[in-house]
């Protein structure tokens, strides 16, 4: 039986996933940022250990594109490093991780030559 763990559950995608889980009768644990900050490897480990999900969907992200340019370190910590931690923790426990991407990807230091 599927047991889904959603991160970033209070966001747009997270809320839609929660609704769908209810409609489809899927067992679902939904974590807001407050309860599971994905930049914290120990919080990730605790949540996986506690719920033993069969799949994790990462809907947590730093999505404010304009502010991301002013806060690149914070954006990178959430959108890159934390996702790596999540992927490693899931891999370690043989749990598939579904991560949503975006077309709003840009270089950190200088503008892309194609922009
Ligand atoms: N919405 C779409 O149509 C769409 C389409 C394609 C792809 N996506 C992708 O789907 C993902 C989610 O998008 P969204 O539209 O749902 O964004 P959103 O509404 O901004 O939701 C993102 C959620 O992540 C949370 N979050 C931020 N940092 C976190 C952290 N360190 N730990 C845990 N949670 C954290 C945010 O909490 P706070 O509000 O408290 O910061 C917010 O609840 C993104 O990767 C986006 O690129 C979205």
């Amino acid at each position: 039986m599927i047991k889904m763990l959603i991160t970033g559950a209070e966001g747009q995608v997270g809320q839609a996933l929660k609704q769908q889980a209810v409609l489809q009768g899927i067992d679902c644990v939904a974590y807001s940022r407050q309860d599971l900050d994905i930049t914290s490897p120990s919080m990730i480990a605790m949540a996986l250990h506690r719920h033993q999900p069969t799949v994790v969907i990462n809907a947590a992200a730093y999505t404010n594109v304009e502010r991301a340019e002013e806060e690149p370190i914070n954006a990178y910590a959430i959108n890159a490093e934390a996702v790596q931690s999540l992927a490693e923790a899931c891999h370690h426990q043989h749990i598939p991780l579904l991560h949503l991407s975006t077309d709003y990807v840009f270089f950190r230091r200088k503008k892309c030559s194609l922009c």
Side-chain angles (χ1 to χ4, degrees):
M1 202 168 107
I2 296 173
K3 183 169 184 182
M4 188 159 91
L5 187 148
I6 303 171
T7 58
E10 294 305 309
Q12 214 180 335
V13 170
Q15 292 197 39
L17 285 170
K18 276 191 293 186
Q19 275 178 8
Q20 282 304 313
V22 171
L23 288 173
Q24 308 288 331
I26 295 171
D27 189 6
C28 171
V29 188
Y31 274 104
S32 68
R33 178 183 197 156
Q34 197 184 347
D35 296 324
L36 172 52
D37 184 332
I38 63 164
T39 61
S40 162
S42 62
M43 286 181 100
I44 294 172
M46 266 195 290
L48 296 186
H49 179 74
R50 181 172 173 200
H51 299 289
Q52 306 278 316
T54 56
V55 62
V56 173
I57 305 185
N58 181 35
Y62 187 116
T63 56
N64 187 322
V65 180
E66 282 76 32
R67 192 144 37 95
E69 295 193 52
E70 291 155 24
E71 297 184 345
I73 292 171
N74 198 15
Y76 194 76
I78 296 168
N79 291 346
E81 292 166 343
V83 177
Q84 181 176 351
S85 298
L86 195 55
E88 286 171 353
C90 287
H91 179 68
H92 188 64
Q93 298 199 31
H94 308 288
I95 303 166
L97 169 69
L98 235 154
H99 175 74
L100 290 113
S101 189
T102 177
D103 54 348
Y104 284 97
V105 176
F106 53 88
F107 285 109
R108 257 177 85 190
R109 294 196 186 87
K110 51 185 179 183
K111 268 190 131 181
C112 164
S113 59
L114 302 173
C115 296

